[in-house]
């Protein structure tokens, strides 16, 4: 694949930088001839594979992975009125099989409740079948009308991890919501992505849900990105799809359900938050290549240097660090440029001087350079990788929290959301919430978990200890 010769725009021109970077680092090719649908390059796909293997490992602790059909018969999709109201203008339809029109049009799944729950009705009979905790990682389709962007707002969501659980009681489902939030917190922390969990206002919850808890992070341009959601569905879908179980008194009860989803937006967050003017900066947990070894060879001594490089690669790989040796005949400078663009966390330079000192030169992606002894090399590199992981999270976290500002008036909030999140009091009334959105031009992200603060609603003046975050969001 041709390497773009263009230079990367500066990051403070965020959307230009972001789009160009996806191409130059060969993450996603945005040239596919359907709007909102993009192609994973092999390198991008290797990032996705590593990130989603980490997500699978977390899910597999107490969920089972499965696979449901992509095609959903129209009657099933239309069954849950609130759900379909939320999705009817986003659903793609299949109307023909070859040349013959289909009697029953089929929807491409926008999300899979209406594919899964008719089967849950067949599968769940008694208390013994609960709790049921399944998930799948599939592509889903949404005819998005807001601006589409690679990894952020796609019409084919290629990496949609959706979990669907069923429980005996509302409280059991509520407990599952908390477990899901813990699992998501763990996952995003492993990606060095900071977040705030916001309880979405009722008018912005998932269609058909009792309530929605959303994970929001802050992108460098001050816009909020919803990187995951956890929904308590109560018995609404159970009543619609008649999903019941026999309780220990022999009575039939509706199940209580939850569902929670993450998409490739988690990768958009890693790229957007950590990248810099030289390209991607991948936290080690998200980096397909964690260390690239660059031989520094001069006229003579090349063979010996290459031998030591091969040895170092083997030592690192044997200790579980993914290291590659770039022994192509490009100039070192060209190699540095290429691997920095691809966000490799560490580079190890080895030349005759390093060999003489029985050491290697370790260069961290953000420029920190240090000669480290060959003895105990893999442990040292392992520690440096973990330090980098933590430093990236701290830097991103400090940035996010520095961009949350308490605003007493709507005008103050309007100004603040140009660069971050405005925290305001809110009486909880929908009319006031919508007015806050109108005046600020932002969205109410909802009530941030763990934050309270007494004040007065900036619209109606009522005293309240509820706070909300307001933001410009993707
Ligand atoms: N068009 C899109 N492109 C990329 N990611 C998206 C898109 N729409 C939603 N997402 C991501 O997918 C997550 C889950 O989507 S959702 O609508 O909120 N929830 C559901 O669909 C539920 N069935 C939980 S699986 C969202 O939090 C968001 O991070
Ligand atoms: Zn109010």
């Amino acid at each position: 694949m041709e390497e773009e010769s263009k230079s990367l725009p500066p990051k403070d021109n965020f959307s230009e930088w972001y789009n160009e970077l996806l191409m130059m680092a060969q993450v996603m090719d945005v040239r596919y001839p359907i709007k909102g649908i993009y192609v994973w390059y092999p390198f991008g796909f290797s990032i996705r594979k590593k990130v989603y293997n980490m997500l699978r490992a977390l899910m597999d602790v107490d969920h089972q992975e499965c696979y449901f059909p992509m095609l959903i018969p129209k009657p099933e999709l239309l069954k849950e009125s609130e759900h379909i109201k939320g999705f009817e203008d986003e659903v793609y339809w299949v109307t023909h099989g070859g040349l013959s029109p289909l009697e029953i049009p089929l929807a491409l799944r926008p999300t899979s409740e209406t594919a899964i729950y008719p089967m849950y009705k067949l599968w769940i009979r008694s208390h013994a079948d609960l709790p049921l905790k399944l998930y799948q990682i599939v592509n889903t389709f949404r005819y998005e009308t807001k601006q589409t962007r690679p990894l952020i707002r796609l019409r084919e969501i290629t990496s949609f991890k959706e979990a669907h659980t069923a429980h005996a009681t509302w409280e059991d489902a509520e407990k599952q919501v908390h477990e899901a939030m813990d699992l998501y917190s763990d996952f995003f922390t492993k990606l060095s992505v900071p977040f705030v969990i916001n309880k979405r206002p009722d008018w912005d919850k998932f269609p058909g849900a009792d309530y929605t808890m959303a994970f929001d992070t802050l992108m460098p341009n001050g816009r909020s990105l919803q990187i995951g959601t956890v929904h308590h569905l109560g018995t609404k879908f159970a009543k619609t799809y008649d999903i019941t179980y026999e309780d220990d008194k022999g009575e039939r009860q509706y199940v209580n359900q939850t569902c929670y989803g993450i998409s490739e937006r988690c990768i958009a967050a890693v790229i957007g938050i950590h990248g810099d003017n030289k390209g991607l900066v991948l936290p080690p947990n998200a980096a397909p290549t964690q260390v690239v070894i660059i031989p520094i060879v001069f006229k003579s001594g090349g063979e010996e240097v290459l031998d030591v490089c091969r040895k170092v690669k083997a030592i690192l790989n044997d200790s579980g660090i993914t290291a590659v040796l770039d022994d192509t005949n490009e100039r070192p400078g060209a190699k540095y440029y290429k691997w920095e663009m691809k966000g490799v966390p560490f580079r190890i330079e080895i030349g005759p001087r390093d060999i003489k000192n029985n050491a290697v030169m370790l260069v961290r992606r953000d420029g920190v350079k240090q000669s480290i002894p060959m003895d105990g090399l893999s442990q040292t590199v392992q520690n440096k990788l973990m330090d980098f992981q933590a430093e990236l999270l701290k830097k991103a976290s400090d940035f996010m929290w520095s961009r949350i500002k308490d605003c007493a008036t709507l005008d103050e909030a309007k100004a603040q959301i140009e660069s971050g999140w405005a925290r305001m009091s809110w009486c909880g009334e929908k009319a006031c919430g919508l007015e806050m959105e109108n005046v600020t031009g932002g969205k109410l992200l909802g009530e941030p978990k763990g934050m309270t603060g007494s004040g007065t609603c900036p619209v109606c003046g009522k005293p309240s200890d509820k706070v909300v975050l307001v933001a410009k969001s993707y």
Side-chain angles (χ1 to χ4, degrees), residues 2-7 20 23-24 26 31 41 337:
E2 77 285 357
E3 297 278 335
E4 296 290 317
S5 58
K6 278 200 273 180
S7 65
E20 199 49 49
M23 289 293 285
M24 292 178 77
Q26 297 202 329
R31 294 173 295 187
Y41 276 108
Y337 171 83

Side-chain angles (χ1 to χ4, degrees), residues 392-403:
L392 286 172
L393 176 60
K394 179 160 180 354
K395 193 169 149 230
S397 231
D398 292 349
F399 170 79
M400 185 183 83
W401 289 102
S402 75
R403 295 295 184 90

Side-chain angles (χ1 to χ4, degrees), residues 16-35:
E16 291 279 296
W17 170 86
Y18 176 81
N19 286 326
E20 199 49 49
L21 178 53
L22 291 184
M23 289 293 285
M24 292 178 77
Q26 297 202 329
V27 176
M28 245 193 178
D29 194 329
V30 297
R31 294 173 295 187
Y32 194 74
I34 301 178
K35 178 176 151 62

Side-chain angles (χ1 to χ4, degrees), residues 111 113 142 144 152 154 157 160 162 206 226 229 231 263:
T111 169
E113 283 74 9
R142 298 187 184 189
E144 296 279 0
I152 290 178
L154 309 99
I157 306 169
F160 193 72
E162 51 177 327
F206 178 70
Q226 177 185 287
T229 27
H231 313 289
S263 78

Side-chain angles (χ1 to χ4, degrees), residues 66-80 83 106-123 134 136 138-140 160 162 164 206 237 241 243 257:
C66 57
Y67 186 88
F68 283 81
M70 179 192 315
L71 295 174
I72 301 171
K74 188 166 184 176
E76 288 302 341
L77 190 97
L78 298 183
K79 246 182 199 164
E80 211 301 300
H83 186 68
L106 305 172
L108 292 187
R109 60 186 166 211
T111 169
S112 300
E113 283 74 9
T114 59
I116 296 174
Y117 298 168
M119 303 312 291
Y120 274 15
K121 169 181 174 40
L122 303 177
W123 292 357
L134 305 185
Q136 61 178 9
V138 293
N139 61 342
T140 56
F160 193 72
E162 51 177 327
H164 296 268
F206 178 70
F237 284 90
Y241 290 90
I243 310 171
Q257 294 173 268

Side-chain angles (χ1 to χ4, degrees), residues 79-365:
K79 246 182 199 164
E80 211 301 300
S81 58
E82 243 184 85
H83 186 68
I84 188 56
K85 246 200 336 286
F87 279 105
E88 63 192 350
D89 53 4
E90 290 188 5
V91 175
Y92 283 90
W93 292 101
V94 174
T95 57
H96 283 70
L99 298 179
S100 30
L102 295 176
E103 220 172 284
I104 297 182
L106 305 172
L108 292 187
R109 60 186 166 211
T111 169
S112 300
E113 283 74 9
T114 59
I116 296 174
Y117 298 168
M119 303 312 291
Y120 274 15
K121 169 181 174 40
L122 303 177
W123 292 357
I124 296 171
R125 321 299 309 158
S126 88
H127 202 280
D129 299 322
L130 300 176
L132 181 61
K133 301 185 188 180
L134 305 185
Y135 77 99
Q136 61 178 9
I137 300 179
V138 293
N139 61 342
T140 56
F141 292 84
R142 298 187 184 189
Y143 186 65
E144 296 279 0
T145 45
K146 280 170 76 176
Q147 185 177 1
T148 51
R149 280 175 219 278
L151 295 176
I152 290 178
R153 184 175 294 281
L154 309 99
R155 287 184 165 177
E156 175 181 2
I157 306 169
T158 67
S159 316
F160 193 72
K161 186 289 303 167
E162 51 177 327
H164 296 268
T165 70
H167 306 268
T169 66
W170 197 91
E171 290 69 21
D172 288 352
E174 163 102 320
K175 196 165 138 295
Q176 186 59 45
V177 165
H178 287 276
E179 285 181 22
M181 289 195 287
D182 291 346
L183 190 150
Y184 278 18
S185 301
D186 193 0
F187 174 64
F188 292 124
T189 301
K190 283 186 159 74
L191 291 176
S192 297
V193 169
F195 55 84
V196 172
I197 302 175
N198 295 298
K199 182 171 187 181
R200 285 288 185 261
D202 260 3
W203 64 86
D204 191 30
K205 67 186 178 187
F206 178 70
D210 272 11
Y211 64 83
T212 285
M213 302 303 286
F215 282 69
D216 294 305
T217 192
L218 186 65
M219 294 292 255
N221 59 354
R223 292 183 70 172
S224 185
L225 182 66
Q226 177 185 287
I227 49 177
T229 27
V230 182
H231 313 289
H232 193 310
L233 303 180
T235 54
K236 187 175 294 278
F237 284 90
K239 287 178 178 147
T240 304
Y241 290 90
D242 191 26
I243 310 171
T244 61
Y245 69 97
E246 197 169 289
D247 67 10
D248 39 16
K249 292 193 276 313
E251 279 163 36
R252 300 217 66 76
Q253 304 287 353
Y254 287 113
V255 298
N256 274 268
Q257 294 173 268
T258 81
C259 65
Y260 29 103
I262 280 178
S263 78
E264 48 262 60
R265 279 190 184 172
C266 63
I267 296 174
V270 168
I271 292 175
I273 290 170
H274 299 301
D276 65 13
N277 287 337
K278 296 200 280 192
L280 299 179
V281 176
L282 294 177
N285 285 338
T289 297
Q290 294 172 321
V291 177
V292 58
I293 300 162
I294 313 272
I296 310 294
V297 290
F298 302 96
K299 301 284 169 285
S300 67
E303 250 333 287
E304 190 200 7
V305 167
L306 277 174
D307 269 355
V308 171
C309 288
R310 288 185 196 107
K311 228 173 61 210
V312 165
K313 178 178 179 251
I315 292 168
L316 295 179
N317 284 339
D318 290 351
S319 68
I321 296 169
T322 44
V324 298
L325 164 57
D326 183 347
D327 55 4
T328 58
N329 51 17
E330 278 178 297
R331 289 177 299 98
K335 294 180 184 182
Y336 300 166
Y337 171 83
K338 170 184 161 188
W339 294 107
E340 282 165 354
M341 179 64 71
K342 287 192 183 293
V344 175
F346 282 92
R347 159 173 98 227
I348 284 186
E349 298 169 10
I350 302 179
R353 197 166 19 83
D354 306 295
I355 295 175
K356 203 158 63 33
N357 305 336
N358 194 25
V360 301
M361 186 56 76
L362 186 71
V363 185
R364 205 166 77 170
R365 174 61 180 74

